[in-house]
Every structure is written in structure tokens, then in C-alpha cells.
Amino acid sequence: MSWKLLKYGFKRSHDEPRFFPEPKELKSHYDVVIIGGGGHGMACAYYLAKEHGITNVAVLEQGYIGGGNTGRNTTIVRSNYLTPEGVKFYDTSVKLFEDLSDEFDLNIFYSTRGHFTLAHTDSAMRTMRWRAEVNKHYGIDSEVVGRDEIGKAVPYMDLECAGHTPVMGALYHAPGSVARHDAVAWGYARGAYNRGVEIHQRTRVTDIRTRDGRVIGVDTDRGAISCGKVISMVAGSTPRITEMLNLPTPIEIFPLQACVSEPVKPFMDTIVVSGSLHVYVSQSSRGEMVMGASVDPSVLHSTRSSFDFVEGLADQMVDLFPFMSRLKVMRQWAGMSDMTPDFAPIMGKTPIEGFYLDAGWGTWGFKATPVSGKTMAWTAANDQTHELIEPFRYSRFADFDLVGEKGAASVGH
Amino acid sequence: MKLLDCPLIGRRPISEFDYVGEVRKPPVDCDTETWAGFVFNRQGAPSVLRERWYHRPTGYWFILDRDTLTDEVKAIVDHREVRYDIPA
Ligand SMILES: Cc1cc2nc3c(=O)[nH]c(=O)nc-3n(C[C@H](O)[C@H](O)[C@H](O)COP(=O)(O)OP(=O)(O)OC[C@H]3O[C@@H](n4cnc5c(N)ncnc54)[C@H](O)[C@@H]3O)c2cc1C
């Protein structure tokens, strides 16, 4: 034990600065109210203050910062999507992620690992080639690799998959990364707070008030607030918010589960995803195997985890990594995924003046945290949907102009 | 293990079932906007949802009213109740 720590332990008062301030009273008016204190809400508040000088902002969070999907996700960051609009959007996010630790002066443990999407069938190989070409066209490091390369990079993997569904090749994406999810939310929150934004935890929005098709305020369980603009960034709670405004959306909520094993020695520094087996895995810096699968089979507004998930996951995972049959599962949990029919988000302006939506993040929205915050802040500041998110606009469904990301997104984190 | 009551043979593991989704009645004679709304939009907020399920081993289709907040099955619904006529 260091001398400094011992001295600190004997002190009567412990005056370490709080990361976040003590909560104070709500003001009666804010220029902008952000609903949801996940990564997206915090990033948006940060960029509103930093890039647009808008600081009379309140972030209202019903629970605690990052307690929604942000703190439940498996943190895969990548940009090897299938559609040009998806690739451009997520690439901007990856580039922002790379500099966040410096920008926050807080280690977000951004760790570039390399990301393999395994293909077990001819048709999957075809999709991988297609994705690689689209990716390369936009300058993204992405290529199709063969079995030998996979075998070398991922030791202990059974390329034969016990003979059921042998691996034929993979899409390899060198920039694929993982990061510490809480730190991302906290870093943005501290940056926003230091610039004057108010963060109110344990404050739930219960209604949104409008007059003549314009937002005029929100009701909360701590009283009413008037405001000119509301940005909804609530992921799995989105339909509950849009219902307050009678705004129909295609979003359906499905639970998404994940688990970690007991820690083992570091042996795998890459991220491995198998769309055909519906599983993915990476090894955390503590040595745990972080594992996930596709969403649960039916709609449910719940964060309960189930035995069926672990059973189904283990069944597939053990085919890929036979030695994992000896590992114990330490923790499992679930989040609520806001799924859209085209596996792309819904972002930007809505038919209600002053109400902006950032939703439809499903199983893939952590990697979009920086770029969503930035483009939504721009959108609210200028009352105009940012060019990068125009393809994801609310009206695309009425226009029959969907995005078509589904092919790249099954188990698409 | 999660279980669901198959109306034909009783309680079975959830993995034997396929979820089909909400039972809805299409607007037949309508403008494009209404049609787009029907095709894409969903009842996303928690509610008692009338939904179609399929039990694979028995090949049996059935309809449930289920609370999507508590996962409680409220009723098994007769197919005839959701039947509608297609205009000639
Ligand atoms: C198991 C799992 C694994 C995942 N893996 C990945 C991955 O590997 N890579 C990836 O990119 N994405 C992944 N995702 C998706 C990703 O986690 C989410 O898309 C992303 O975190 C959404 O962030 P957010 O800030 O929009 O929402 P959230 O973090 O969910 O924040 C929304 C907040 O809004 C609050 N809220 C809701 N209603 C109200 C209200 N009425 N009033 C006040 N506050 C309210 C909630 O309490 C919550 O804190 C995964 C998700 C899960 C569940």
C-alpha cells in the first residue's frame, strides 16, 4: 500500500472531486431537453454545448447515467456495413471514437482488435465479397480472407465447427474495436456538465406537451418544464415516448441478451462473429469471454435474462470453440432493442416541430454514439436534418425509401 | 426454461414455437400513405398484443392475447374472431 493511500485512509473527510455534481432543482425553462442519459443523450448534450454554444440544456434520465443499453452492450465498434449511407455514417463514428480518450482526458479503453465475420455458406461468402467491395470503395479497411488466415489469427477455433457448418472464409475488418461503454457515457457527461449542461438522474419524462403541432414542454415526475426543443434518445423506450405524441413508428422492442464467462488467460485478441450460428465473442481486458447472440424471439418490454439464451448460445459457441464447454458463465443480462424493419436507425426531424428523434438503435447503436450525438446536436441547433443522417429520416417509410442494411446486420452489433 | 401453453398439447419449451407477430387487418381500399403506415408501423409501446404463434412439432397455428410488459398470456383467441372478408 502506498504512503499516500494510507494517509488518505486516515483522513476524516475525503475530498476527492465528484465525477458528477449533486442533483439540484429543475429549472422552469430550458432551450433544449434531452430525454435519456445514455451514451447518445450525453454525446448530444456535449456537442450542443461544445460545437453550437447551446448550454441551457437539461438531460433527463429516469434511472442512472448509462444504465440503459449503453451499460449493457458488448461494445463492438466497426464500420464494415453494407450500404453506402451506413458505411459513411459509421466510419465517421469510428474516427471520432479513436480520439475520445484524448478529448475527454479519460481512458475509454478503446482497443482495436480486428473483426472477423465468419461465412459458413456460399451465399454468406457472396455477401462478404459484396460488403468488402462497398467498404473498399469508401476507403474502409475491409477484405475477404480464407481459412488459413482465420486459423492463424484465432487459435483454438474449430474451423470445421464439429463438421456441421465448416467455416469457408470471413470478412476481416482491421479497425474493428471494443471500448469501455460506461467511460464513453461518463466522458461525454462530464464534458457536457463542465460546459454548463444540467444532468438530472432519477427524473422521468411522463408526457410531452405540444401546441399547434409544436413542442412547448415536458412533464416529469419532478414537475413540468417548458422548452423549445425536445430530443428523444431513449433506445428501448422509444415507443413509450412517441406514443405520448401519437407519432407512429415501425419500432418494435425485442430483448437482447449477453453474458460473460469466468476469466481465462488472454488468448484471443480479435472479435469473432458468426452470422450463420447467430453468435459472437470477444475477450475482455480482464480475460472474460464476452458473448452474445441475436435478439429474443418475441416482442417484450423487459430486461430479464433467460436460461434459454445461455443454452442456445452455448450450443453454437461450443461448435466454434470446443474448449469453452469447460468455462462457467459468470453473469448474464439483457437490454431492450428498438428494432426497425431495415436495421437502420430513425434520426432527425419529425412531423412535430421541435421534436427530434434518435432511435431505432436495435442491436448496433453503441458504435454510433459519437456520430449520433454530433449529427443530432447539429440537427437540433439548425432545425434541419444533418446530411449524414438524411437517409435515416423518419419519413423514409412513408416514402418507401428504406435503407437495406439488413444483410449486414444479422447478429449485427 | 421459458414455457408456453400450446392450445393443442399443453405446456412446451418456448424454443418449440415461432413468433409470427401482431394479427392485423389490412386496409384494403386506401391511399398510399395509409398503406405505408400499415406495412411498416407497429404498436411498439407496451400493451396487450393480439399475436400469431406457430408450434413447430405439431404444425399448429394459433392466436394469443399477450401482455408485452409482463409476458402474461391473457387469452387464446379463436381464428374466427380475427377473420375478415376480402372485398370482391
Ligand atoms: C446485450 C446488448 C449488446 C449490444 N451490443 C452492441 C455492440 O456490440 N455494438 C453496438 O454498436 N451496439 C450494441 N448494442 C446496442 C447498443 O447498446 C444501443 O443501441 C445503444 O447503447 C443505445 O444507446 P442510447 O444512448 O441511445 O440508449 P440507452 O443507453 O438505452 O439510453 C436511453 C436512456 O433513456 C432513459 N429513459 C427511457 N425512458 C425515459 C423517460 N421517459 N424519461 C427519462 N429517461 C428515460 C433510460 O433509462 C436509458 O438510460 C447492444 C445492446 C444490447 C442490449
Side-chain angles (χ1 to χ4, degrees), chain A residues 239-240 243 248-254 296-302 304 306-308 311 341 394 397-400 402, chain B residues 1-2 14-15 17 19 22 32-33 35-36 39-47 49 51 53 66-71:
Chain A
R240 303 185 206 208
E243 195 178 46
T249 78
I251 293 173
E252 287 182 295
I253 306 301
F254 289 84
D296 282 8
S298 56
V299 166
L300 192 62
H301 300 264
S302 161
R304 240 174 309 164
S306 69
F307 174 70
D308 306 74
E311 190 184 38
Y394 173 83
F397 301 98
D399 301 342
F400 294 93
L402 275 60
Chain B
M1 192 188 288
K2 266 177 89 165
I14 194 83
S15 56
F17 296 87
Y19 179 68
E22 191 184 356
T32 316
E33 204 185 323
W35 181 248
V39 171
F40 298 114
N41 291 335
R42 293 290 179 272
Q43 166 54 43
S47 64
L49 210 57
E51 44 192 31
W53 287 76
R66 187 178 60 105
D67 187 329
T68 59
L69 192 60
T70 60
D71 211 7

Side-chain angles (χ1 to χ4, degrees), chain A residues 34-43 59-78 81 90 97 177-178 181 185 200 202-207 219-221 232-238 240-241 244 254-259 271 280 290-293 309 333-338 358-369 372 412-413:
Chain A
I34 296 174
I35 315 176
H40 287 226
M42 289 310 177
V59 181
L60 307 181
E61 164 56 51
Q62 66 184 6
Y64 58 93
I65 292 170
N69 286 354
T70 297
R72 298 164 192 268
N73 86 95
T74 46
T75 77
I76 298 173
V77 176
R78 61 183 178 89
Y81 276 71
Y90 292 108
F97 255 117
S177 305
V178 289
H181 41 31
H200 294 276
R202 276 177 279 146
T203 308
R204 178 201 292 266
V205 172
T206 53
D207 207 357
D219 290 339
T220 78
D221 55 4
S232 172
M233 310 185 103
V234 297
S237 299
T238 300
R240 303 185 206 208
I241 298 289
M244 295 171 186
F254 289 84
L256 178 66
Q257 307 197 39
C259 64
I271 304 161
Y280 65 96
V290 181
M291 299 176 277
F309 158 71
W333 64 89
M336 294 189 292
S337 288
D338 38 337
D358 169 79
W361 289 112
T363 65
W364 54 84
F366 175 71
K367 69 180 69 60
T369 303
S372 300
H413 310 283

Side-chain angles (χ1 to χ4, degrees), chain B residues 25-86:
Chain B
K25 180 171 179 279
V28 220
D29 194 14
C30 66
D31 57 18
T32 316
E33 204 185 323
T34 314
W35 181 248
F38 168 76
V39 171
F40 298 114
N41 291 335
R42 293 290 179 272
Q43 166 54 43
S47 64
V48 174
L49 210 57
R50 178 156 293 185
E51 44 192 31
R52 210 180 290 282
W53 287 76
Y54 177 67
H55 183 235
R56 259 177 278 114
T58 53
Y60 190 69
W61 296 84
F62 58 101
I63 299 167
L64 293 179
D65 283 347
R66 187 178 60 105
D67 187 329
T68 59
L69 192 60
T70 60
D71 211 7
E72 241 177 297
V73 175
K74 298 286 186 190
I76 293 173
V77 180
D78 194 303
H79 288 279
R80 278 166 295 199
E81 262 186 62
V82 302
R83 197 173 62 182
Y84 54 86
D85 293 326
I86 297 170

